Amino acid sequence: MVPTRVQQPLRDVPFADCRGCLGLPRFRRWVLLSAVKHTGFVYWQDGEMWLGYLEEFPDYLTQGDSLADLEAHLRDIYEDVTSGKIPQVRRRAELAVA
């Protein structure tokens, strides 16, 4: 997911010893909002291939030529299973017991 840039106006900067400074353009700042989420995954290397699955969705095993390639495939799976594109997705969860 790409971070989103949001432009927010700042208040006018006061100039105590400046006359006629009113009418200066308002200063603006860029705020970088990170929409990065984290989820766990399990992975291992089998020969030259990297295999893995998301902890929350263990039914969806995938592979890659490298660890980075595997992570890209896992991101695609996460997007698919959380967007509703795949019906009847089974999830893994934890239950607190006494």
Side-chain angles (χ1 to χ4, degrees):
M1 190 173 276
V2 177
T4 307
R5 285 186 151 204
V6 177
Q7 197 174 27
Q8 295 179 345
L10 290 177
R11 61 179 173 76
D12 289 328
V13 178
F15 294 96
D17 57 354
C18 177
R19 289 183 172 65
C21 291
L22 297 177
L24 288 175
R26 296 183 78 178
F27 292 93
R28 296 189 179 272
R29 65 179 170 166
W30 288 97
V31 178
L32 191 62
L33 299 177
S34 176
V36 175
K37 295 179 183 179
H38 295 273
T39 188
F41 66 100
V42 177
Y43 71 98
W44 62 95
Q45 189 172 11
D46 186 3
E48 294 185 18
M49 298 301 294
W50 291 84
L51 298 116
Y53 60 88
L54 298 167
E55 287 182 338
E56 188 177 352
F57 307 100
D59 291 345
Y60 300 93
L61 182 68
T62 189
Q63 65 186 21
D65 296 326
S66 65
L67 184 56
D69 187 36
L70 174 64
E71 289 176 356
H73 291 291
L74 289 169
R75 284 186 193 96
D76 292 339
I77 288 174
Y78 183 83
E79 182 180 329
D80 289 344
V81 296
T82 58
S83 69
K85 291 180 185 177
I86 300 174
Q88 302 175 352
V89 174
R90 295 192 303 177
R91 293 178 179 240
R92 179 194 171 278
E94 292 191 22
L95 178 66
V97 294

